[in-house]
Amino acid sequence: MKKKIWALALGGIVGISAVLGGCGGKSGSADAGEVYVYNWGEYIDEEVISMFEKETGIKVIYDMFETNEDMYPVIEAGGRTYDVVCPSDYMIQRMVENNMLAELNFDNIPNVDQIAPEYMERSKSFDPENKFSVPYCWGTVGILYNTSMVAPEDVPVRWSDLWDEKFRGEILMQDSVRDAFMVALKSLGYSMNSDSRGELEEARDLLIQQKPLVQAYVIDQVRDKMIGGEAALGVIYSGEMLYIQEEVAAQGLDYNLEYVIPEEGTNVWIDSWVIPANAKNKENAEAWINFMCRPEIAKMNFEYITYPTPNQGAFELLDEELQNNKAVFPDLDSLDNCEVFKYLGDEVDTIYNDLWKEVKSN
């Protein structure tokens, strides 16, 4: 689930095709048409877009969204038609169930064989036959802690450690309904995909109980606050870890931040390329997906956005130290009790949202 909207303040949909300087090259076919791409902000190396245009002759019209919930009604309304979109797992499930996606023609996406089998298998939780989506990025959610502010005997190993009174005012929580409830539900021993009102009310009560200990509910600021030593613990997405490590080194700071996946399990999220059912340039969209699956292209995107790539070919191009960086690339086999978010239906979504409002207003 893409989380970082770094330098861009996106007050809605922002097209960047003009910003890229009209990069449609002449080395591809003279008139190969267009492809309308809808992706998260700061979720691609812009040079990759230029390379695709130059190689294929396909002009890219590229727009950005901030959240899955912003993206969905745009695609549903169809007022602006997109050819290829990059939603997260649970939203892909919702789009499949509402007949909003086209089946992919994998004859046009031979590079899909670069996606490691374990990610295709996990994708079946939201795309049961792997007919509608191709994984682009993945990650986990865990706890980042400051070793200079947390004693060795207090190192967090469970989500429930975020309710420890000794960390009053030193905890950063995600300002996200599903992520916040995931922490509470997992700490209670429930599925993060619970649709039980009773379990959700328990999670609400637990989050309200935690509020006096929480310094802030934030998203991107977790990374910067933790680098700056402003908090002891923060719930964060694994894709931030490489950026954090590089930023600490660039500032000449002592590295004192560690990432842990709690014992109760966590969210393993997957963002994937899909093609809307009303796409006007489906073959061009499949050419785009195939290009994104090319190992050297996937490596460029990984190095730019720092979120783990499911592309085995790209992974093999990385240096050994990075391959062995378990904060960035944890072993999937070791992720006990982990789940992928599922779409639970509009009625259950309403329950989550209503209970979250109670948490925030209490």
Side-chain angles (χ1 to χ4, degrees), residues 138-142 236-243 259 261 269 306-308 326-330:
W138 72 283
T140 60
V141 180
I236 200 166
Y237 307 94
S238 62
E240 303 284 12
M241 292 310 301
L242 185 58
Y243 172 87
Y259 178 80
I261 297 174
W269 56 265
T306 73
Y307 275 64
K326 296 307 179 185
V328 181
F329 291 106

Side-chain angles (χ1 to χ4, degrees), residues 220-232:
D220 298 341
Q221 298 96 319
V222 174
R223 176 192 67 216
D224 300 323
K225 282 178 172 288
M226 292 298 293
I227 291 174
E230 297 178 39

Side-chain angles (χ1 to χ4, degrees), residues 158-160 163 181-194 196 199-200 202-203 206 262-266 337-339:
R158 300 180 62 83
W159 289 119
S160 56
W163 277 258
F181 270 82
M182 180 275 290
V183 171
L185 286 165
K186 282 292 190 183
S187 68
L188 290 166
Y190 300 139
S191 168
M192 68 183 197
N193 290 306
S194 175
S196 163
E199 292 178 358
L200 294 176
E202 283 187 63
L206 196 62
E263 294 174 356
E264 300 103 322
T266 190
N337 304 316
C338 292
E339 303 173 79

Side-chain angles (χ1 to χ4, degrees), residues 195-214:
D195 59 2
S196 163
R197 186 172 191 107
E199 292 178 358
L200 294 176
E201 288 176 348
E202 283 187 63
R204 172 205 59 195
D205 293 344
L206 196 62
L207 289 169
I208 291 173
Q209 177 188 330
Q210 184 202 32
K211 281 192 72 175
L213 310 182
V214 175

Side-chain angles (χ1 to χ4, degrees), residues 265-308:
T266 190
N267 170 26
V268 177
W269 56 265
I270 299 175
D271 290 345
S272 301
W273 295 111
V274 300
I275 297 178
N278 63 349
K280 296 178 180 178
N281 304 288
K282 186 171 184 287
E283 288 191 3
N284 286 354
E286 288 164 346
W288 170 272
I289 296 172
N290 192 54
F291 192 78
M292 295 301 130
C293 290
R294 190 183 295 176
E296 62 271 23
I297 298 301
K299 178 176 180 285
M300 285 180 65
N301 282 326
F302 163 71
E303 290 173 340
Y304 180 79
I305 63 180
T306 73
Y307 275 64

Side-chain angles (χ1 to χ4, degrees), residues 327-340:
V328 181
F329 291 106
D331 294 323
L332 281 179
D333 293 341
S334 69
L335 299 182
D336 296 332
N337 304 316
C338 292
E339 303 173 79
V340 173

Side-chain angles (χ1 to χ4, degrees), residues 52-344:
F52 175 80
E53 290 188 316
K54 290 175 182 177
E55 179 173 312
T56 66
I58 298 170
K59 176 178 174 59
V60 177
I61 296 86
Y62 190 99
D63 289 346
M64 293 172 282
F65 57 86
E66 291 191 42
T67 70
N68 285 291
E69 288 68 28
D70 290 338
M71 174 278 304
Y72 183 86
V74 173
I75 302 301
E76 183 181 39
R80 182 163 174 81
T81 304
Y82 289 97
D83 300 308
V84 60
V85 187
C86 188
S88 302
D89 31 55
Y90 69 98
M91 194 58 75
I92 293 171
Q93 179 189 349
R94 182 181 184 185
M95 296 171 85
V96 169
E97 291 179 3
N98 287 295
N99 300 312
M100 291 171 59
L101 299 181
E103 289 190 24
L104 302 177
N105 180 356
F106 285 98
D107 290 341
N108 294 330
I109 314 174
N111 288 334
V112 72
D113 65 3
Q114 296 296 322
I115 305 299
E118 55 264 37
Y119 302 103
M120 298 301 291
E121 187 63 31
R122 282 189 178 266
S123 295
K124 289 181 179 179
S125 66
F126 55 89
D127 180 7
E129 298 181 58
N130 290 138
K131 295 197 302 188
F132 298 98
S133 62
V134 174
Y136 178 56
C137 291
W138 72 283
T140 60
V141 180
I143 300 173
L144 185 67
Y145 67 94
N146 188 319
T147 59
S148 67
M149 300 172 72
V150 177
E153 63 272 17
D154 295 325
V155 167
V157 294
R158 300 180 62 83
W159 289 119
S160 56
D161 292 330
L162 295 176
W163 277 258
D164 192 325
E165 180 67 32
K166 65 170 59 75
F167 297 121
R168 176 179 287 267
E170 297 290 344
I171 297 170
L172 301 172
M173 285 286 287
Q174 284 293 317
D175 191 11
S176 161
V177 55
R178 289 297 298 269
D179 289 315
F181 270 82
M182 180 275 290
V183 171
L185 286 165
K186 282 292 190 183
S187 68
L188 290 166
Y190 300 139
S191 168
M192 68 183 197
N193 290 306
S194 175
D195 59 2
S196 163
R197 186 172 191 107
E199 292 178 358
L200 294 176
E201 288 176 348
E202 283 187 63
R204 172 205 59 195
D205 293 344
L206 196 62
L207 289 169
I208 291 173
Q209 177 188 330
Q210 184 202 32
K211 281 192 72 175
L213 310 182
V214 175
Q215 180 187 119
Y217 294 96
V218 287
I219 297 181
D220 298 341
Q221 298 96 319
V222 174
R223 176 192 67 216
D224 300 323
K225 282 178 172 288
M226 292 298 293
I227 291 174
E230 297 178 39
L233 304 168
V235 178
I236 200 166
Y237 307 94
S238 62
E240 303 284 12
M241 292 310 301
L242 185 58
Y243 172 87
I244 288 170
Q245 292 166 356
E246 292 175 346
E247 185 65 18
V248 168
Q251 294 184 26
L253 304 174
D254 292 331
Y255 190 80
N256 56 8
L257 300 174
E258 297 293 339
Y259 178 80
V260 61
I261 297 174
E263 294 174 356
E264 300 103 322
T266 190
N267 170 26
V268 177
W269 56 265
I270 299 175
D271 290 345
S272 301
W273 295 111
V274 300
I275 297 178
N278 63 349
K280 296 178 180 178
N281 304 288
K282 186 171 184 287
E283 288 191 3
N284 286 354
E286 288 164 346
W288 170 272
I289 296 172
N290 192 54
F291 192 78
M292 295 301 130
C293 290
R294 190 183 295 176
E296 62 271 23
I297 298 301
K299 178 176 180 285
M300 285 180 65
N301 282 326
F302 163 71
E303 290 173 340
Y304 180 79
I305 63 180
T306 73
Y307 275 64
T309 174
N311 191 296
Q312 185 62 34
F315 181 81
E316 292 170 357
L317 292 174
L318 302 176
D319 62 60
E320 187 174 350
E321 181 180 359
L322 192 49
Q323 290 177 350
N324 293 327
N325 188 330
K326 296 307 179 185
V328 181
F329 291 106
D331 294 323
L332 281 179
D333 293 341
S334 69
L335 299 182
D336 296 332
N337 304 316
C338 292
E339 303 173 79
V340 173
F341 273 132
K342 295 180 180 179
Y343 170 60
L344 303 172

